[in-house]
Amino acid sequence: MKKIAILGSTGSIGQNTLEVVRRFPDKLKVEVLVAGCNLNLLRQQIEEFHPRAVAVRAEEDARQLRQEVKKTSLKVYAGEKGLEEVVCFPEIDLVVSAITGVAGLKPTLKALELGVDVALANKESMVVAGPFIKKIAARTHAKIIPIDSEHSGIFQCLDGRPLKSVRKVYLTASGGPFLRVPLEDLANKSQSEALAHPRWKMGKKVSIDSATLMNKGLELIEARFLFDLRPEQLDVLIHPQSIVHALVEFRDGSCLAQLSQTDMKIPIQYALSYPERWETTGNSLDLSEVKNLEFLKVEESRFPLLALARRALEVGGSLPVVLNAANEVAVEAFLEDNINFRQIYEVVEYCLMQHSPRDINSLDEVLDIDQETRKLAREFLKGKVKSK
Amino acid sequence: MKKIAILGSTGSIGQNTLEVVRRFPDKLKVEVLVAGCNLNLLRQQIEEFHPRAVAVRAEEDARQLRQEVKKTSLKVYAGEKGLEEVVCFPEIDLVVSAITGVAGLKPTLKALELGVDVALANKESMVVAGPFIKKIAARTHAKIIPIDSEHSGIFQCLDGRPLKSVRKVYLTASGGPFLRVPLEDLANKSQSEALAHPRWKMGKKVSIDSATLMNKGLELIEARFLFDLRPEQLDVLIHPQSIVHALVEFRDGSCLAQLSQTDMKIPIQYALSYPERWETTGNSLDLSEVKNLEFLKVEESRFPLLALARRALEVGGSLPVVLNAANEVAVEAFLEDNINFRQIYEVVEYCLMQHSPRDINSLDEVLDIDQETRKLAREFLKGKVKSK
């Protein structure tokens, strides 16, 4: 029985993780649930999965929950401190790190410091603090198993194979909803259009990042650190069917690719079952039904944010932190209808231009640069009005 | 330095193997070359690679060669006995088994009995005597590394992964030259049309087998024994681009596929370098250049020989031996212009119908059934005239 903690249980990844737990009640036991503010869903999850502890964002929510469950042994925590406490809960075998944004970084680090394996869905952790995370995991021998379909794909292709045998690694991108719209229409694409991802059902932030391809940029950076690759080994292929998730080319010209239906439960389950694979039904891939797998180069003029991300990938140091923070602020502004689609790029470009890249020597530095960049981005936004 | 023996050095696989040896003079040393009757090419190979021993089919050829090389230390052998002797040559690390047909079986077995690893291109060995071969290899701990692109693909996807985690294995087939010709035109397709394979440059026998898809049928049987799979786990996908060579679906719905350019040197080199991978150049796979990977179900009415092969796959025992022997005779007759394309099927079907499948308990039985079937097929052919 694998005992798991799910950080971000009410989000898209969290809910899919619980779907997998439902399939394997004799293999997985939920010990800890961490949610933000979706109390109603958390209540249902508590009732169904009987965790030993939960944490929510606000102290007020925690108080209310404590009141409701006072007849049970459930422990309820709140805030950042609460989050840290539940990650330290004893006897956890695996922490599913699925809180989006930089907020997911601290608990991820905490788990790894304790030597607990992490199923990592929070790509920002790796983007902003990849070298730190890897160092800690190496010290405690905790495993990091990616949940993201592309990184799970790379992980499965590489599994046990020596890094020196790898020539290139391709992450695929569906191209999102704007792959084929005329370039001149891009700037004014609405929120609902940007959210309408053709293949994956995901959270809002990730969906926008998929429409700009920033998602893929962050994934390139994540892959660099996660698998110890050189920037020039990493590339993106547009693949609208989203069946092939990653392709690894070895130094002898032979490639392995990982494929599956577009169902997040597949990589999530793999992260939970690793190194085993557990039998499921109804998710077979019939390529004769799919018929065609299409691959295209990325049009840089269509996805200028990817070029920015590539620069951050190559330069490293503090630049990925800036990239990520600026993008988070920009996407938030877009989702709040304060800027248009094109302006997401402008915010990120501005912040990168204003920043002098430097090496990072501590986690505090990461958090400082993150905060500075957010401030800068918000100031830049104040001067902007949404141009129609 | 890996010391190798190449059985079938003047054939297509043999020549490609020597191409790989040329690339890695510090990693590979040719100790033994075995050829049929292409003496001129063998002479060139001797001059370039300086083997310690060679074997040819005819005693007369051997005598002539001995005369020519009498001032050197090269040993020259002849016939089946000679073949056996060179396989037993001491200090061989790897035998490349690339003699086509049942003729390749005995030396393959000999090498495995001696505990020498075999890079296997001769699929007939595995088809007619798979269970014996596996038993011997298990006893001596000799490794069998497939050279065939599809089996190399499966081998690379499985590499080290437990068999119980596998749900299905797909071998791809380009579909050969007749994938899209009208069904009614199939019967009278000429030799040159059947030999014009759209993707791979191969020997004549294999090219015809690719046009009938018998090739894929034999490969299914080979895969069953090579990887200990159940018949129902194995299937064929038509994939005209021949970029994906094999696809393994695991029990959790995730798949790994092996891809590369259509270049036999890639799987050959992998078999020679295994478990390492050696750096090469100029063979990178750019999927954005390929653009589309297409997959289709097999049309059974177009490829009736595949259905016969599937029966042999499922029944096992003596039936694969009959299938292979009948097909060898039929393809020979087609290549000698004695029957038309459709009649290849008729010969194989007739021989399968006449045979009562039974278990096989010795290698002699295999060879007996092989001989009986060849006789039967030839008798059947005598009664035939090539219908136009």
Side-chain angles (χ1 to χ4, degrees):
Chain A
M1 188 72 96
K2 214 176 252 187
K3 291 176 179 163
I4 65 173
I6 304 175
L7 317 186
S9 69
T10 56
S12 164
I13 297 287
Q15 291 185 56
N16 275 299
T17 303
L18 289 169
E19 279 284 340
V20 174
V21 174
R22 274 187 200 107
R23 285 179 187 163
F24 301 99
D26 54 332
K27 293 183 190 288
L28 296 168
K29 170 76 183 75
V30 175
E31 294 283 287
V32 168
L33 292 173
V34 174
C37 45
N38 188 344
L39 239 57
N40 280 339
L41 182 53
L42 180 62
R43 278 190 194 96
Q44 291 170 31
Q45 294 177 346
I46 291 170
E47 194 157 330
E48 183 176 356
F49 295 99
H50 308 290
R52 291 198 292 150
V54 299
V56 291
R57 192 176 297 149
E59 180 56 46
E60 200 188 312
D61 287 342
R63 261 199 302 274
Q64 195 184 324
L65 264 181
R66 265 182 221 117
Q67 190 62 25
E68 290 168 27
V69 301
K70 64 182 173 189
K71 287 184 181 158
T72 74
S73 61
L74 180 69
K75 292 201 166 72
V76 181
Y77 300 83
E80 208 177 300
K81 210 170 161 308
L83 178 49
E84 194 167 312
E85 270 186 90
V86 293
V87 170
C88 295
F89 229 67
E91 291 174 36
I92 302 268
D93 298 308
L94 183 75
V95 167
V96 178
S97 172
I99 296 175
T100 45
V102 165
L105 174 57
K106 276 195 179 169
T108 302
L109 283 173
K110 193 77 208 170
L112 293 171
E113 270 167 16
L114 292 167
V116 177
D117 294 346
V118 170
L120 189 68
N122 170 279
K123 71 188 67 173
E124 292 85 356
S125 292
M126 219 18 122
V127 169
V128 303
F132 292 98
I133 294 177
K134 289 288 285 188
K135 210 182 286 176
I136 292 169
R139 177 162 51 78
T140 65
H141 303 290
K143 283 191 281 289
I144 303 169
I145 309 140
I147 276 186
D148 219 10
S149 60
E150 293 80 0
H151 298 88
S152 177
I154 301 171
F155 187 82
Q156 293 179 56
C157 290
L158 287 179
D159 187 22
R161 293 171 174 84
L163 197 59
K164 70 166 186 181
S165 70
V166 175
R167 180 186 290 163
K168 282 209 77 163
V169 170
Y170 293 91
L171 286 79
T172 61
S174 71
F178 302 150
L179 179 60
R180 303 183 210 259
V181 302
L183 280 182
E184 60 273 21
D185 295 351
L186 264 185
N188 292 309
K189 282 293 166 187
S190 71
Q191 243 192 72
S192 59
E193 288 170 296
L195 287 172
H197 196 272
R199 296 283 156 190
W200 297 98
K201 220 174 150 280
M202 303 176 292
K204 282 187 176 184
K205 163 71 165 56
V206 183
S207 294
I208 302 302
D209 285 346
S210 295
T212 64
L213 274 205
M214 175 55 98
N215 198 30
K216 228 36 67 172
L218 296 173
E219 286 173 12
L220 287 175
I221 299 170
E222 186 186 358
R224 173 186 169 179
F225 295 128
L226 201 49
F227 302 109
D228 289 314
L229 297 163
R230 297 186 309 278
E232 67 272 21
Q233 287 183 290
L234 283 156
D235 220 333
V236 174
L237 270 172
I238 301 281
H239 169 46
Q241 292 77 24
S242 296
I243 296 291
V244 175
H245 306 305
L247 179 91
V248 173
E249 181 171 86
F250 295 95
R251 66 201 293 215
D252 59 1
S254 182
C255 307
L256 286 184
Q258 189 270 336
L259 302 79
S260 72
Q261 289 187 11
T262 50
D263 176 354
M264 274 311 297
K265 289 189 286 297
I266 294 174
I268 290 172
Q269 180 178 314
Y270 184 72
L272 298 179
S273 72
Y274 178 82
E276 295 175 17
R277 288 187 188 271
W278 296 337
E279 178 77 34
T280 53
T281 53
N283 59 8
S284 280
L285 178 66
D286 184 349
L287 285 180
S288 70
E289 295 257 318
V290 181
K291 285 192 178 68
N292 264 294
L293 301 177
E294 195 185 349
F295 299 90
L296 308 160
K297 274 195 208 312
V298 177
E299 244 181 293
E300 290 226 336
S301 52
R302 182 178 294 279
F303 301 108
L305 274 159
L306 185 62
L308 296 183
R310 217 169 221 302
R311 205 166 84 221
L313 167 76
E314 279 154 19
V315 174
S318 55
L319 221 50
V321 184
V322 175
L323 180 88
N324 178 64
N327 183 60
E328 280 195 26
V329 173
V331 172
E332 206 178 285
F334 176 73
L335 286 173
E336 284 165 0
D337 216 20
N338 293 329
I339 57 172
N340 72 17
F341 190 71
R342 168 77 192 181
Q343 288 171 319
I344 300 173
Y345 168 79
E346 290 170 14
V347 176
V348 178
E349 192 200 25
Y350 175 79
C351 291
L352 287 176
M353 297 287 279
Q354 294 296 310
H355 181 81
S356 302
R358 58 178 190 268
D359 283 348
I360 291 187
N361 299 305
S362 76
L363 194 62
D364 282 341
E365 250 182 287
V366 169
L367 299 176
D368 285 350
I369 295 169
D370 179 76
Q371 287 308 315
E372 280 163 28
T373 306
R374 282 167 202 271
K375 213 175 125 197
L376 186 70
R378 288 199 188 98
E379 273 160 21
F380 178 74
L381 280 172
K382 268 186 208 151
K384 288 264 155 188
V385 278
K386 185 178 171 181
S387 57
K388 290 283 176 187
Chain B
M1 188 71 95
K2 214 175 251 186
K3 290 176 180 164
I4 65 173
I6 305 175
L7 317 186
S9 69
T10 56
S12 165
I13 297 287
Q15 291 186 55
N16 275 298
T17 303
L18 288 169
E19 278 284 340
V20 174
V21 174
R22 272 186 202 109
R23 285 181 188 163
F24 300 100
D26 54 332
K27 293 182 190 288
L28 297 168
K29 170 76 183 76
V30 175
E31 294 284 287
V32 168
L33 292 174
V34 174
C37 46
N38 188 344
L39 239 57
N40 280 339
L41 183 53
L42 180 61
R43 277 190 195 98
Q44 291 170 31
Q45 293 177 345
I46 291 171
E47 194 157 329
E48 184 177 355
F49 295 99
H50 308 290
R52 290 198 293 150
V54 299
V56 291
R57 192 177 295 147
E59 179 56 46
E60 200 187 311
D61 287 342
R63 259 199 303 273
Q64 196 185 323
L65 265 181
R66 262 181 224 120
Q67 191 62 25
E68 291 167 25
V69 301
K70 64 182 174 189
K71 287 182 180 161
T72 74
S73 61
L74 179 70
K75 292 202 168 71
V76 181
Y77 299 83
E80 208 176 299
K81 211 170 160 311
L83 179 49
E84 194 167 311
E85 270 186 88
V86 292
V87 170
C88 295
F89 228 67
E91 292 174 36
I92 302 268
D93 299 308
L94 182 76
V95 168
V96 178
S97 172
I99 297 175
T100 45
V102 165
L105 175 56
K106 276 194 178 169
T108 302
L109 282 173
K110 193 76 207 169
L112 293 171
E113 269 166 16
L114 293 167
V116 177
D117 294 346
V118 170
L120 189 69
N122 169 278
K123 68 189 70 174
E124 291 85 356
S125 292
M126 216 24 118
V127 169
V128 303
F132 292 99
I133 294 176
K134 290 288 286 187
K135 209 182 288 175
I136 291 169
R139 176 160 52 75
T140 65
H141 303 290
K143 283 192 280 290
I144 303 169
I145 309 138
I147 277 187
D148 219 8
S149 60
E150 293 79 0
H151 298 87
S152 177
I154 301 171
F155 188 81
Q156 293 179 56
C157 290
L158 286 179
D159 187 22
R161 294 171 174 85
L163 197 59
K164 70 166 187 181
S165 70
V166 174
R167 181 186 289 162
K168 283 209 77 164
V169 171
Y170 293 91
L171 287 79
T172 60
S174 71
F178 303 150
L179 179 61
R180 305 184 207 257
V181 303
L183 279 182
E184 60 273 21
D185 294 350
L186 264 185
N188 292 311
K189 282 293 166 187
S190 71
Q191 245 191 71
S192 59
E193 289 171 296
L195 287 173
H197 195 273
R199 295 284 156 191
W200 297 97
K201 219 174 151 284
M202 302 177 292
K204 282 188 177 185
K205 163 71 164 55
V206 182
S207 294
I208 302 302
D209 285 346
S210 294
T212 63
L213 274 206
M214 174 57 97
N215 199 29
K216 228 34 67 169
L218 295 173
E219 286 173 12
L220 287 175
I221 299 170
E222 186 185 358
R224 173 186 169 180
F225 295 129
L226 201 48
F227 302 109
D228 290 314
L229 297 164
R230 298 186 307 278
E232 66 272 20
Q233 287 183 291
L234 283 156
D235 219 333
V236 174
L237 270 172
I238 300 282
H239 169 47
Q241 292 78 23
S242 296
I243 296 289
V244 175
H245 306 305
L247 180 91
V248 172
E249 182 172 86
F250 295 94
R251 66 201 295 213
D252 59 1
S254 182
C255 308
L256 287 183
Q258 189 270 336
L259 302 80
S260 72
Q261 289 187 10
T262 50
D263 175 354
M264 274 311 296
K265 288 189 285 298
I266 294 174
I268 290 172
Q269 181 178 315
Y270 183 71
L272 297 179
S273 72
Y274 179 83
E276 294 175 17
R277 287 187 188 271
W278 297 337
E279 179 77 35
T280 52
T281 54
N283 58 8
S284 280
L285 179 66
D286 183 349
L287 284 180
S288 70
E289 293 258 318
V290 181
K291 285 193 177 67
N292 264 293
L293 301 177
E294 195 185 350
F295 299 90
L296 309 159
K297 274 195 208 312
V298 178
E299 245 181 293
E300 290 228 335
S301 53
R302 182 177 294 277
F303 301 109
L305 273 159
L306 184 62
L308 296 183
R310 215 167 223 304
R311 205 164 87 223
L313 168 75
E314 280 153 18
V315 174
S318 56
L319 222 50
V321 185
V322 175
L323 180 87
N324 178 64
N327 183 60
E328 280 196 25
V329 173
V331 171
E332 205 179 285
F334 176 73
L335 287 173
E336 285 166 358
D337 216 20
N338 293 330
I339 58 172
N340 72 18
F341 190 70
R342 168 76 192 180
Q343 287 170 320
I344 300 173
Y345 168 79
E346 290 170 15
V347 176
V348 178
E349 191 200 26
Y350 175 80
C351 291
L352 286 176
M353 296 288 278
Q354 294 295 310
H355 181 81
S356 304
R358 59 180 189 268
D359 283 347
I360 290 186
N361 299 304
S362 76
L363 193 62
D364 283 340
E365 250 183 286
V366 169
L367 299 177
D368 285 350
I369 294 168
D370 178 76
Q371 287 307 315
E372 279 163 28
T373 306
R374 283 168 200 271
K375 214 175 126 198
L376 186 70
R378 288 200 185 96
E379 272 160 21
F380 178 73
L381 280 172
K382 268 186 207 150
K384 287 266 156 187
V385 278
K386 185 178 173 182
S387 58
K388 291 283 177 187

